[in-house]
Amino acid sequence: MTSLGFGVLGAGRIGRLHARNLSGAVDRARVVGVMDAIPEAAEVVAAASDGAYATQDAEALIKDEQIDCVLIASPTTLHAEQIVLAARAGKAIFCEMPVAFTLPETIEAMEVVEETGVPFQIGFNRRFDPGIAAVAEAIHSGGLGEVEMFRSQSGDHSPPPLDYVATSGGIYLDSAIHDIDVARFIVGEVERVTALGRVLIEPGMEEHGDVDTSVLTLEFASGALGIIQNSRRTAYGHDVRVEVHAAAGKVVSEEERDTQAWTYTREGIRGDYRSDFLERFKQAYIRELQSFVDAVLEGRKPSPGPRDAVESLRVAIAATRSLHEKRPVRLVEVA
Amino acid sequence: MTSLGFGVLGAGRIGRLHARNLSGAVDRARVVGVMDAIPEAAEVVAAASDGAYATQDAEALIKDEQIDCVLIASPTTLHAEQIVLAARAGKAIFCEMPVAFTLPETIEAMEVVEETGVPFQIGFNRRFDPGIAAVAEAIHSGGLGEVEMFRSQSGDHSPPPLDYVATSGGIYLDSAIHDIDVARFIVGEVERVTALGRVLIEPGMEEHGDVDTSVLTLEFASGALGIIQNSRRTAYGHDVRVEVHAAAGKVVSEEERDTQAWTYTREGIRGDYRSDFLERFKQAYIRELQSFVDAVLEGRKPSPGPRDAVESLRVAIAATRSLHEKRPVRLVEVA
Amino acid sequence: MTSLGFGVLGAGRIGRLHARNLSGAVDRARVVGVMDAIPEAAEVVAAASDGAYATQDAEALIKDEQIDCVLIASPTTLHAEQIVLAARAGKAIFCEMPVAFTLPETIEAMEVVEETGVPFQIGFNRRFDPGIAAVAEAIHSGGLGEVEMFRSQSGDHSPPPLDYVATSGGIYLDSAIHDIDVARFIVGEVERVTALGRVLIEPGMEEHGDVDTSVLTLEFASGALGIIQNSRRTAYGHDVRVEVHAAAGKVVSEEERDTQAWTYTREGIRGDYRSDFLERFKQAYIRELQSFVDAVLEGRKPSPGPRDAVESLRVAIAATRSLHEKRPVRLVEVA
Amino acid sequence: MTSLGFGVLGAGRIGRLHARNLSGAVDRARVVGVMDAIPEAAEVVAAASDGAYATQDAEALIKDEQIDCVLIASPTTLHAEQIVLAARAGKAIFCEMPVAFTLPETIEAMEVVEETGVPFQIGFNRRFDPGIAAVAEAIHSGGLGEVEMFRSQSGDHSPPPLDYVATSGGIYLDSAIHDIDVARFIVGEVERVTALGRVLIEPGMEEHGDVDTSVLTLEFASGALGIIQNSRRTAYGHDVRVEVHAAAGKVVSEEERDTQAWTYTREGIRGDYRSDFLERFKQAYIRELQSFVDAVLEGRKPSPGPRDAVESLRVAIAATRSLHEKRPVRLVEVA
């Protein structure tokens, strides 16, 4: 087998991006079919993915024999059942995060994956950001000794619409979960979290019990401490940066700026900044799929896998509980 | 009066540095006398300060009519009584931080200062670091709107000796108090703090009830959130950096590296890093004294003043209590 | 027509790269056939370009009706005749630089292109490097006023093999021509050049009348001055940087480093450097083809075109003559 | 002797700066007297140099027994005779560059210095710029192998007034001589130069036979090549940068920006730039005097010395001749 056939479920913004990467930038992969509840959406994406067909029938697509892998980019509420369907059909699965908004649903779906033994990767794409991957490698290589402090910050260009907020699961499940997964990836498991949140940007957040500005502290099982800062409005663009302080030094992911030229005038020095997260994580989106395709073709387990899908969610749920109950929450409390 | 005569109390590392700056880099200032309990120490510093005399008698120095200003760089336990003596003698006072390890002693000394009306400046030198001052100016100018998140990190090159730790007052009074003062300077008063500390570097810290690694979260009266990270070992050098996220953007103090040249070889790109805090804050030490001298000569109140001496200490004490009692501490609890 | 079919002539390193980009990263393009004198080379590239056929017959490929565009990546000595064949067959042409090693051959081929009216683009890919393109845009926008000085530097990771040197046309036709084309692109036409060259790296250069280290000064028709520095060995990697000084300020292309993370240790600060020119100009290679495809599909003239193929070569030949004759050479002398 | 007494000749901008540094920032030095033809100028500088006297009599000052060193910051036309007077009086001499506008006068004065054996330093302050000094050290340490290309650029914030231009000696003696001296310091002696100059900024330059924009190429005795770029108007500030390409890598002096904070907003990233050369070379001015004082007190020959005064001037004169005669000029032609 020289190339994997993908069925893409969901032709929204992320599904479209993945389909495009699969038909262009990712080696040994091609799109066979695209499913969306809105026929036009599926057709547009299929047409752009040389020769793929469009459908509204998820189950038929999953079961299509031409399809080796199912890429799930549908609404979160459909993820778990599509995972189960695909696993039972013996298909390799790449699923956008999260698997579900609750831990039991997530665990249940992951158990089916484990039972069926199909390859499964969860879309924590930041692990594949070149900068963050380089930080992880520097730490995992051991050359800097034990981690003492971890810090990640994420900023969205502007707050999401309130109707999105209503169904997003809140800032920790929707946004900080990416920083949490990176923390787990680089430092290891978390024991306790303490969340501090504020509504400083979008007053409408209040009625959804959500915040737009957050500081989350992490206590890792290793003894290290961590900080995650999130803001729903970093006016200058999508700002993500990871910094790890270890016994023998620190390592910092380089800022992903858009600056291709610096201009010097009487007003000082000026460069541009990248404002869009799809652009910010362009490489990460391609690299995560390439890693999945390579693992499947070479018979290795893809990573991050089912355990990461569960444990990063568990930390995000603990953070949400900490925010609402205004107290530190231990991970063992969250089941 | 074209130049202020200084009496320097304490000829240790910091007293020596201040004396040197007063006789060289600071305009309109000169050293008249240097006091230290160790005669040789006073003599060495006096000799290096063109024409100053050495003495072991603090009170005589304070009362010397040639002296306009007293610079207190003696052990912290002597600060309060020397402040009172100097204030009663009508001298302008520059005092290294902190005034005292307890709030009542600090408040009492500051009340004498207020009563006598002498100019008083507390040695929170970071406010005068060019990078941090530029961040403060960017925020205070209003152009970036309201502050939403504040972050400061401080790292010492290597942990202090344990006998120093024993009398240091702990990481918050000894080290984080500088970050705290910067937080207050830039964002305003703090309402509540939560400290997380660890002993990851120097096990001997435990017996002194101290930690070497800390994450402190701040809740400001304005609603903004803050983070202060402290480590007693940033192996590469003295690392201090401030980052403020506001409604319309962020502003970050430039890293103070020692790199004067970048070398490109097969091994990659390499630059040097500054390892010493005296070197790191060289400009800040000069600028804080210049600001004091200018204020005294021009009849303005020096800043940071008595209120800052009290309030930054209050936050540091609250942080220490939070560490020991493992709970958030409100500032109003600390009196 | 929604997508252009390409015939790729030459399956060497650059042909392979272009074929890969056409089948992956470039929109609205696909590879139909790949020709190379070595059957295996053509087959490998064809196999990697979903569904393309391999052939050894350039003429048949050029004339294939499925083919809209011919991409010429064959040895330079074949470029001119393949351009003529393709132009007479009415195909759009993308040709790697240079068209030929001599000006008359180049002019002759370009005349056929002009007569037949087929779209033609010459592969000066640096115009599409994001950094260099941003510099050009800053200057062309007019905001910085008239250009006064131009500077470009190019460094190869290591000197080419001597048998390559023998047929390369020399450092100005092989390497500096890229800097020259950028100079013309940003500043305009050149009036006179003065070359200084040295053999400092690879003594074998001498017998080919070539140098490995060069400083070339340019006098532009506008009155501006320019410098191009070339080295066949920049030990740390492929280093290309453009800096333009104008009346109201300067603009500098950002260095293309590979550094995704900076590490701080007792040894200082360290980052990685990119060593390969295919990697250095990865974006430029994709963007130049996309620009060609878009121009052809939208009926615009591609750029850089025939005039650039001629004029940039003319400057490179003048530089070579200046090197050999040890005197400034005016462009009007070169015909 | 613990401190050197200085007589400062000339109380213009540079004399004032040196006097201030001697009385403040430089260790083991003090100002004893200040001479200027304008009494008020001498008085202002003397008054600011704790206890120095003012005079209009250069000879009396030079011969004053309290004076160990003469610092010559008078108009260039007076340098040579003041050097001779000071040398005959047995005083150590620090002289602003150049010694004279002609080579014979310079050589004659330097011969008196050599005969009398007095310590002599010429004010090529860039050798003491931390960045340039670091580049020199990296090269002189030998770790990067032989130098292959040297590049220096200097830009003034804005062109000097035309009456200054009239007596300045032209761009090479007035400005490029600093870059030339750095080139000699780092790479070694120069064999031949070729100047290209333009009047692009200030048309009035023409009548003085001067240019405001220049590219100067250097051929070093070692075989290395060099470039010096000069502009009389770098609108954003005083821009000086040195870059040396050697066998095993390159080393680049860090840009001296004034940026203490970077601001990120919707408009991009912004930092400040330093516009004044006194500020740009603040450290260099202090360090060159400290180096002179230390050498004199420790009985070492100061550097750069008489040979540098002669040879850097010789290159500048060769460059001027090359500009006017429009041909390469060998150094051996200039006597």
Side-chain angles (χ1 to χ4, degrees):
Chain A
M1 185 195 305
T2 57
S3 135
L4 294 174
F6 275 75
V8 173
L9 300 178
R13 189 164 62 154
I14 295 294
R16 213 155 53 222
L17 173 77
H18 284 310
R20 190 186 145 87
N21 283 339
L22 287 171
S23 51
V26 176
D27 282 337
R28 307 196 289 177
R30 62 190 196 287
V31 180
V32 173
V34 177
M35 176 268 160
D36 200 280
I38 304 164
E40 297 73 26
E43 274 152 29
V44 166
V45 174
S49 307
D50 315 296
Y53 64 81
T55 175
Q56 291 179 258
D57 184 340
E59 192 166 346
L61 182 69
I62 288 170
K63 293 185 173 163
D64 181 341
E65 292 203 347
Q66 295 175 76
I67 280 172
D68 307 297
C69 307
V70 174
L71 187 150
I72 302 174
S74 49
T76 300
T77 48
L78 301 178
H79 288 185
E81 73 180 68
Q82 290 174 343
I83 288 170
V84 171
L85 266 177
R88 301 245 185 266
K91 302 300 168 81
I93 302 165
F94 181 97
C95 183
E96 264 308 308
M97 48 69 51
V99 166
F101 289 125
T102 73
L103 209 51
E105 285 172 280
T106 303
I107 290 171
E108 198 180 350
M110 292 302 95
E111 281 172 354
V112 177
V113 164
E114 302 280 20
E115 282 161 30
T116 55
V118 296
F120 176 89
Q121 186 171 325
I122 181 80
F124 286 129
N125 64 327
R126 283 202 200 162
R127 295 188 181 211
F128 299 92
D129 174 67
I132 294 172
V135 170
E137 199 185 307
I139 294 300
H140 294 161
S141 77
L144 296 176
E146 292 297 310
V147 172
E148 292 165 5
M149 276 196 276
F150 168 89
R151 181 209 176 207
S152 177
Q153 68 162 73
S154 290
D156 296 322
H157 188 264
S158 50
L162 286 177
D163 55 356
Y164 175 87
V165 169
T167 63
S168 70
I171 198 168
Y172 298 110
L173 268 71
D174 184 57
S175 173
I177 194 168
H178 284 288
D179 305 85
I180 288 167
D181 183 65
V182 169
R184 290 183 55 256
F185 175 45
I186 295 178
V187 190
E189 296 302 341
V190 173
E191 242 176 38
R192 204 169 73 143
V193 298
T194 310
L196 272 179
R198 289 284 185 277
V199 177
L200 299 177
I201 300 162
E202 170 50 87
M205 292 275 175
E206 305 250 23
E207 67 188 276
H208 300 290
D210 203 358
V211 295
D212 50 37
T213 302
S214 161
V215 163
L216 178 69
T217 53
L218 310 176
E219 295 168 76
F220 292 95
S222 69
L225 298 175
I227 291 166
I228 292 172
Q229 287 177 267
N230 292 90
S231 168
R232 288 294 196 177
R233 180 185 60 198
T234 43
Y236 48 96
H238 203 72
D239 190 0
V240 172
R241 198 176 163 91
V242 171
E243 187 170 333
V244 183
H245 176 98
K250 78 169 173 182
V251 54
V252 185
S253 65
E254 183 156 61
E255 200 168 19
E256 264 297 319
R257 290 171 286 105
D258 195 35
T259 289
Q260 312 289 359
W262 290 95
T263 308
Y264 295 66
T265 65
R266 274 180 206 281
E267 278 70 45
I269 309 169
R270 218 190 68 79
D272 287 325
Y273 201 88
R274 195 183 293 283
S275 67
D276 184 286
F277 86 91
L278 292 185
E279 193 55 29
R280 167 67 181 84
F281 288 110
K282 187 177 169 184
Q283 289 301 313
Y285 279 111
I286 293 169
R287 291 177 52 176
E288 68 172 354
L289 283 182
Q290 190 65 64
S291 177
F292 174 70
V293 165
D294 293 350
V296 171
L297 284 172
E298 294 156 22
R300 292 179 282 105
K301 282 209 170 191
S303 174
R307 181 185 156 89
D308 298 303
V310 171
E311 295 307 324
S312 292
L313 179 67
R314 196 191 302 272
V315 179
I317 290 171
T320 308
R321 195 177 296 176
S322 172
L323 177 74
H324 292 148
E325 303 183 4
K326 297 183 191 303
R327 62 171 185 93
V329 171
R330 299 179 64 81
L331 271 291
V332 292
E333 298 179 44
V334 181
Chain B
M1 183 196 304
T2 58
S3 134
L4 294 173
F6 275 76
V8 174
L9 299 178
R13 190 164 62 155
I14 294 294
R16 216 156 51 223
L17 173 77
H18 283 312
R20 193 188 142 86
N21 284 338
L22 288 172
S23 51
V26 176
D27 283 335
R28 304 196 290 176
R30 64 191 194 285
V31 180
V32 172
V34 177
M35 176 272 159
D36 199 281
I38 303 166
E40 297 73 26
E43 275 152 28
V44 166
V45 174
S49 308
D50 316 298
Y53 66 80
T55 176
Q56 291 178 259
D57 185 339
E59 193 167 346
L61 182 68
I62 289 170
K63 294 183 172 163
D64 182 341
E65 292 202 348
Q66 296 174 76
I67 281 171
D68 307 298
C69 307
V70 174
L71 185 151
I72 302 175
S74 49
T76 299
T77 48
L78 301 177
H79 288 185
E81 72 179 68
Q82 291 174 342
I83 288 170
V84 171
L85 267 176
R88 301 247 184 263
K91 304 300 168 81
I93 302 165
F94 182 96
C95 183
E96 264 308 307
M97 48 69 53
V99 166
F101 289 127
T102 72
L103 209 52
E105 285 172 281
T106 303
I107 290 171
E108 199 179 348
M110 293 301 95
E111 282 172 354
V112 177
V113 164
E114 303 279 21
E115 283 161 31
T116 55
V118 296
F120 176 89
Q121 186 171 325
I122 181 79
F124 286 128
N125 64 327
R126 282 201 201 163
R127 294 187 181 211
F128 299 92
D129 174 67
I132 294 174
V135 170
E137 199 186 308
I139 294 299
H140 293 160
S141 76
L144 296 175
E146 293 296 310
V147 172
E148 292 167 3
M149 275 197 275
F150 169 89
R151 180 210 177 206
S152 177
Q153 68 162 72
S154 290
D156 296 322
H157 186 264
S158 49
L162 285 176
D163 54 358
Y164 175 88
V165 169
T167 63
S168 70
I171 197 168
Y172 298 109
L173 268 72
D174 186 56
S175 175
I177 194 169
H178 284 288
D179 305 86
I180 287 167
D181 183 66
V182 169
R184 290 184 54 256
F185 176 45
I186 296 178
V187 190
E189 299 301 341
V190 173
E191 242 176 36
R192 204 168 72 142
V193 297
T194 311
L196 270 180
R198 288 286 186 274
V199 177
L200 298 177
I201 299 162
E202 169 51 87
M205 291 274 174
E206 303 249 22
E207 66 187 276
H208 300 290
D210 204 358
V211 295
D212 50 36
T213 302
S214 161
V215 163
L216 178 69
T217 52
L218 309 175
E219 296 168 75
F220 292 95
S222 70
L225 298 175
I227 291 166
I228 292 172
Q229 287 177 266
N230 293 89
S231 168
R232 288 294 197 178
R233 181 183 61 198
T234 43
Y236 48 96
H238 203 72
D239 190 1
V240 172
R241 198 177 162 89
V242 171
E243 189 170 331
V244 184
H245 176 98
K250 77 170 172 182
V251 53
V252 184
S253 64
E254 183 156 60
E255 199 168 21
E256 262 297 317
R257 289 170 288 102
D258 196 36
T259 289
Q260 311 289 0
W262 290 96
T263 309
Y264 294 65
T265 65
R266 274 179 205 282
E267 278 70 45
I269 309 171
R270 216 190 69 78
D272 287 326
Y273 200 88
R274 195 183 294 281
S275 67
D276 184 286
F277 85 90
L278 292 185
E279 194 56 29
R280 168 68 181 82
F281 288 110
K282 187 177 168 183
Q283 290 302 311
Y285 278 112
I286 294 169
R287 291 176 52 176
E288 69 172 352
L289 283 181
Q290 191 65 65
S291 178
F292 174 70
V293 166
D294 293 350
V296 171
L297 284 172
E298 294 155 21
R300 290 179 282 105
K301 282 211 172 191
S303 174
R307 182 186 156 88
D308 297 302
V310 170
E311 295 307 324
S312 291
L313 179 68
R314 197 191 303 273
V315 179
I317 289 172
T320 309
R321 196 177 293 176
S322 172
L323 177 74
H324 292 148
E325 302 183 4
K326 297 183 191 305
R327 63 174 185 90
V329 171
R330 300 178 65 81
L331 271 290
V332 292
E333 299 179 44
V334 181
Chain C
M1 185 195 306
T2 58
S3 134
L4 295 173
F6 275 77
V8 174
L9 300 179
R13 189 164 63 155
I14 295 294
R16 215 157 51 224
L17 174 77
H18 285 310
R20 191 186 143 87
N21 283 338
L22 287 171
S23 52
V26 176
D27 283 337
R28 306 196 289 177
R30 64 190 194 286
V31 181
V32 171
V34 178
M35 176 271 160
D36 199 281
I38 303 166
E40 297 72 26
E43 275 152 28
V44 166
V45 174
S49 308
D50 316 296
Y53 65 82
T55 175
Q56 292 178 257
D57 185 341
E59 193 166 346
L61 183 68
I62 289 169
K63 293 184 172 163
D64 181 342
E65 292 203 348
Q66 295 175 77
I67 281 172
D68 308 297
C69 307
V70 174
L71 187 150
I72 302 175
S74 50
T76 300
T77 47
L78 302 177
H79 288 185
E81 73 179 67
Q82 291 174 343
I83 288 170
V84 171
L85 266 177
R88 302 246 183 264
K91 303 300 169 83
I93 303 166
F94 181 97
C95 183
E96 264 308 306
M97 47 69 52
V99 166
F101 289 124
T102 72
L103 210 51
E105 285 172 281
T106 303
I107 290 170
E108 198 179 351
M110 292 302 95
E111 282 172 355
V112 177
V113 165
E114 302 279 22
E115 282 161 30
T116 55
V118 296
F120 176 88
Q121 186 171 327
I122 182 78
F124 285 128
N125 64 327
R126 283 201 200 162
R127 295 188 180 211
F128 299 92
D129 174 66
I132 294 172
V135 170
E137 198 185 308
I139 294 299
H140 293 160
S141 77
L144 296 175
E146 290 299 309
V147 172
E148 292 166 5
M149 277 197 274
F150 168 89
R151 180 209 176 206
S152 177
Q153 67 162 73
S154 290
D156 295 323
H157 187 264
S158 50
L162 286 176
D163 55 357
Y164 176 88
V165 169
T167 62
S168 70
I171 197 168
Y172 298 109
L173 268 71
D174 185 54
S175 174
I177 195 170
H178 284 289
D179 305 86
I180 288 166
D181 183 66
V182 169
R184 291 184 54 258
F185 176 45
I186 295 178
V187 190
E189 296 303 340
V190 173
E191 241 176 39
R192 203 168 74 141
V193 297
T194 311
L196 272 178
R198 289 285 185 275
V199 177
L200 299 177
I201 300 162
E202 171 50 88
M205 292 274 175
E206 305 250 23
E207 66 187 275
H208 300 291
D210 203 358
V211 295
D212 49 37
T213 303
S214 160
V215 163
L216 178 69
T217 52
L218 310 176
E219 296 169 76
F220 293 94
S222 69
L225 298 175
I227 291 165
I228 292 173
Q229 288 176 266
N230 293 90
S231 168
R232 287 294 197 177
R233 180 185 60 199
T234 42
Y236 48 95
H238 202 72
D239 190 1
V240 172
R241 197 175 163 91
V242 171
E243 189 170 331
V244 184
H245 176 99
K250 78 170 173 182
V251 54
V252 185
S253 65
E254 183 156 62
E255 200 168 20
E256 263 297 317
R257 291 172 285 103
D258 195 36
T259 289
Q260 312 288 0
W262 290 95
T263 308
Y264 294 66
T265 65
R266 274 180 206 282
E267 279 70 46
I269 309 171
R270 217 189 69 77
D272 288 326
Y273 201 88
R274 196 182 293 281
S275 66
D276 184 286
F277 86 90
L278 292 184
E279 192 57 29
R280 167 69 181 82
F281 289 109
K282 187 177 169 182
Q283 290 301 312
Y285 279 112
I286 294 169
R287 291 176 52 176
E288 69 172 352
L289 283 182
Q290 190 65 65
S291 178
F292 174 71
V293 167
D294 293 350
V296 172
L297 284 172
E298 294 155 21
R300 290 179 282 107
K301 281 210 172 192
S303 173
R307 181 185 157 87
D308 298 302
V310 171
E311 295 307 324
S312 292
L313 179 67
R314 195 191 304 270
V315 180
I317 290 172
T320 308
R321 195 177 296 178
S322 171
L323 177 75
H324 293 148
E325 303 182 4
K326 297 182 191 306
R327 63 172 185 92
V329 170
R330 298 180 66 81
L331 271 291
V332 292
E333 300 179 44
V334 181
Chain D
M1 183 196 303
T2 57
S3 136
L4 295 173
F6 275 76
V8 174
L9 300 179
R13 189 164 63 155
I14 294 293
R16 215 157 50 225
L17 174 77
H18 284 310
R20 191 187 142 88
N21 284 338
L22 288 171
S23 51
V26 176
D27 284 335
R28 306 196 289 177
R30 64 190 194 286
V31 180
V32 172
V34 177
M35 176 271 159
D36 200 280
I38 303 165
E40 298 72 29
E43 275 152 28
V44 166
V45 174
S49 308
D50 315 299
Y53 66 81
T55 176
Q56 291 178 258
D57 185 340
E59 193 166 349
L61 182 69
I62 288 170
K63 293 184 173 164
D64 181 342
E65 291 201 348
Q66 296 174 76
I67 280 171
D68 307 298
C69 307
V70 174
L71 187 150
I72 302 174
S74 48
T76 300
T77 49
L78 302 177
H79 288 185
E81 72 179 69
Q82 291 174 342
I83 288 170
V84 170
L85 266 177
R88 301 247 185 263
K91 303 300 168 80
I93 302 165
F94 182 97
C95 183
E96 264 308 307
M97 48 69 51
V99 166
F101 290 125
T102 73
L103 210 50
E105 285 171 281
T106 303
I107 290 171
E108 197 178 350
M110 292 301 95
E111 282 171 354
V112 178
V113 165
E114 302 279 22
E115 283 160 32
T116 55
V118 297
F120 176 89
Q121 186 171 324
I122 181 78
F124 285 129
N125 64 326
R126 282 199 200 164
R127 294 187 181 212
F128 298 92
D129 174 66
I132 294 173
V135 170
E137 199 186 307
I139 294 300
H140 293 160
S141 77
L144 296 176
E146 292 298 309
V147 171
E148 292 166 4
M149 274 196 274
F150 168 90
R151 180 208 176 209
S152 178
Q153 68 162 74
S154 290
D156 296 322
H157 186 265
S158 50
L162 284 178
D163 54 357
Y164 175 88
V165 169
T167 64
S168 71
I171 198 168
Y172 298 110
L173 268 71
D174 185 57
S175 173
I177 194 169
H178 284 289
D179 305 86
I180 287 167
D181 183 66
V182 168
R184 290 183 54 257
F185 176 45
I186 295 178
V187 190
E189 297 302 341
V190 173
E191 243 175 36
R192 204 169 72 142
V193 298
T194 311
L196 271 180
R198 288 286 184 275
V199 177
L200 300 177
I201 300 163
E202 170 50 87
M205 292 273 174
E206 305 249 23
E207 66 188 277
H208 300 290
D210 204 358
V211 295
D212 50 36
T213 303
S214 161
V215 163
L216 178 68
T217 53
L218 310 176
E219 295 169 75
F220 293 95
S222 70
L225 298 175
I227 290 165
I228 291 173
Q229 287 176 267
N230 293 89
S231 168
R232 289 293 197 179
R233 181 184 60 199
T234 43
Y236 48 97
H238 202 71
D239 190 1
V240 172
R241 198 175 162 91
V242 171
E243 188 169 331
V244 184
H245 176 97
K250 78 170 173 182
V251 53
V252 184
S253 65
E254 183 157 60
E255 199 169 20
E256 264 297 317
R257 289 169 288 102
D258 196 35
T259 289
Q260 312 289 359
W262 290 96
T263 307
Y264 295 65
T265 65
R266 273 178 207 282
E267 278 70 45
I269 308 171
R270 217 190 68 79
D272 288 326
Y273 200 88
R274 195 183 293 283
S275 66
D276 185 285
F277 85 91
L278 293 184
E279 193 56 29
R280 168 66 181 84
F281 288 110
K282 187 178 169 182
Q283 290 302 312
Y285 278 111
I286 294 169
R287 290 176 54 175
E288 70 171 352
L289 282 181
Q290 191 65 65
S291 178
F292 174 70
V293 166
D294 292 350
V296 171
L297 284 172
E298 294 156 21
R300 291 180 281 105
K301 282 211 171 191
S303 174
R307 183 186 155 88
D308 297 304
V310 171
E311 295 307 324
S312 291
L313 179 67
R314 197 191 302 272
V315 180
I317 290 172
T320 308
R321 196 176 295 176
S322 172
L323 177 73
H324 293 149
E325 302 183 3
K326 297 183 191 304
R327 64 173 183 91
V329 171
R330 300 179 64 81
L331 271 291
V332 293
E333 299 178 44
V334 181

